[in-house]
Structure formats: C-alpha cells, structure tokens
Amino acid sequence: MDSFDKFKKDLRYGEDSEILFCIYLIKNDLIVNNLNLDYKYDIKAFSEKLNRHLFFELKTDKFVDEENDTGNIAIEIRYRKKPSGISKTKADWFVYFFRNLKKENIWMIKCSDLKELIKNNNFKKVMGGDDNASELVLIPRNSHKESFNVISYPFTKKEKNLAKLIYKLKLDYHLNSDKIKHMLKWSL
C-alpha cells in the first residue's frame, strides 16, 4: 500500500471515529451541530446545560488494544516543521479516543490545559505519522491521568455499525443530533 492509500485509509478510520464520538456526545445530552473539515476543530456541539457551543478536537489511536499498549498518548505539535495539531486547533476540548479499548477509552482535556501540561513537562518528542513528518509529544497517560477526564464508554455493536453506515453514505458532513437519534432508533 502506498503512502497516499494509507493516508486515505487512516482518514476514513478517523472520520468514522468522529461519527462514533458524536454518538457518545448525543447520548450525553449534547446537540451535535456539525463536523468540520479544517484545522480549527473536528466537532461542534451545543450544551444546553452550559448554554454555549463546545468545539472538540478528536484524535483516534487505532493501534492500542488490550494486548498492544505503549502507555502513551501521542500529541501532534508540528507537521513538516509547521504548527499543527494541538498547536493550531481552535477547539475547547482535546479528545484522545482509544477506539480498541473497552475501558478508559476516552481521555478528554481542555486544549488550554493540554498546552500547559506539555509546556510544563519535559515529555519525550518523536517523529511519526505519515512519512514521519509529524513531531509528536508522548505523554505517559497513567502518570498524568489526573489531568484528564477519563471515561469508559462501551460502544455497542449497533452504535459502531451506525457510525460506519453514516460514513459510507457520506452523511457525516450534514450530520446533526436529530439525524443520529433518528438513525439510532431505526437501525438494527
């Protein structure tokens, strides 16, 4: 598989994960407004409790599972020596999604707090991602667990299948809470 095909496959997986996380948000009483296609944020949702919009940056780790786990959260700070990832996002919340874990699979932190955590610690930096062009900060997650909201959310097979269906039908760019609730109600 060439690097472009790998990129497309990873992008599909990430976008499918964004839809899955939207289902989690809806189940927790947030109103999903849309998914975004630029660097500013990935998901926009409205909290009636806070009476404001919340913006989420979501990164999915597809490599960690019950048998394969480095114990790190990899945070992109630069791509091809230019600010990217947490350095560039305009989101309120950074979400690290361990999609293949059943417990402690969602790690959330305010973006401002994550930037401070990185600034105030001497975390190991490595190159990774496509063509090793991304500079990543490795945060040992169990050592810094108290900095995150750690959530165990066991996604059902129905929710996972719905996320895949929404992605395949290319409904994700016009996605909102009403559509997802309706589809959850009627999906198998």
Side-chain angles (χ1 to χ4, degrees):
M1 178 181 320
D2 70 11
S3 62
F4 184 68
D5 288 337
K6 183 183 176 309
F7 170 78
K8 287 191 318 189
K9 184 178 178 183
D10 290 346
L11 182 63
R12 278 193 304 271
Y13 190 82
E15 289 175 347
D16 181 62
S17 297
E18 288 174 1
I19 297 165
L20 197 54
F21 186 69
C22 285
I23 292 170
Y24 165 80
L25 292 174
I26 291 165
K27 294 260 182 144
N28 285 276
D29 299 322
L30 272 78
I31 300 167
V32 173
N33 299 114
N34 71 307
L35 300 179
N36 194 30
L37 298 175
D38 63 27
Y39 68 90
K40 294 177 184 171
Y41 63 88
D42 292 322
I43 301 166
K44 178 182 176 184
F46 184 78
S47 168
E48 290 180 333
K49 182 179 176 182
L50 299 174
N51 194 31
R52 71 179 192 93
H53 283 99
L54 300 173
F55 298 87
F56 297 88
E57 182 75 23
L58 180 80
K59 295 302 167 215
T60 303
D61 191 316
K62 70 178 188 177
F63 298 108
V64 171
D65 59 30
E66 304 300 333
E67 275 95 54
N68 182 32
D69 189 352
T70 64
N72 292 321
I73 292 177
I75 307 293
E76 182 178 305
I77 57 172
R78 280 185 265 300
Y79 178 72
R80 300 200 186 280
K81 299 184 181 182
K82 295 181 181 173
S84 66
I86 191 62
S87 302
K88 201 166 180 183
T89 186
K90 304 295 183 200
D92 303 306
W93 288 91
F94 188 92
V95 180
Y96 205 87
F97 181 24
F98 293 97
R99 187 165 166 176
N100 298 320
L101 294 180
K102 290 182 173 73
K103 295 182 180 176
E104 297 188 348
N105 55 339
I106 299 172
W107 289 59
M108 294 177 59
I109 185 171
K110 287 185 177 180
C111 288
S112 57
D113 292 344
L114 180 56
K115 290 174 185 177
E116 281 297 309
L117 182 67
I118 292 169
K119 179 181 169 185
N120 294 332
N121 288 276
N122 190 24
F123 294 126
K124 181 178 180 179
K125 293 179 183 172
V126 298
M127 298 304 289
D130 298 323
D131 299 323
N132 279 334
S134 295
E135 185 177 350
L136 309 168
V137 173
L138 300 180
I139 299 175
R141 70 177 186 271
N142 288 326
S143 301
H144 296 278
K145 188 175 183 176
E146 72 284 349
S147 298
F148 292 81
N149 297 324
V150 181
I151 300 158
S152 294
Y153 185 84
F155 287 94
T156 66
K157 186 174 182 177
K158 180 179 177 179
E159 291 166 339
K160 290 177 182 178
N161 287 338
L162 178 59
K164 287 178 186 172
L165 177 64
I166 290 170
Y167 183 79
K168 282 182 183 176
L169 295 175
K170 296 295 182 198
L171 300 174
D172 49 331
Y173 303 113
H174 305 289
L175 190 63
N176 63 44
S177 291
D178 291 335
K179 287 179 184 174
I180 291 176
K181 285 179 184 176
H182 181 75
M183 293 176 91
L184 274 170
K185 182 178 177 184
W186 295 106
S187 65
L188 301 174

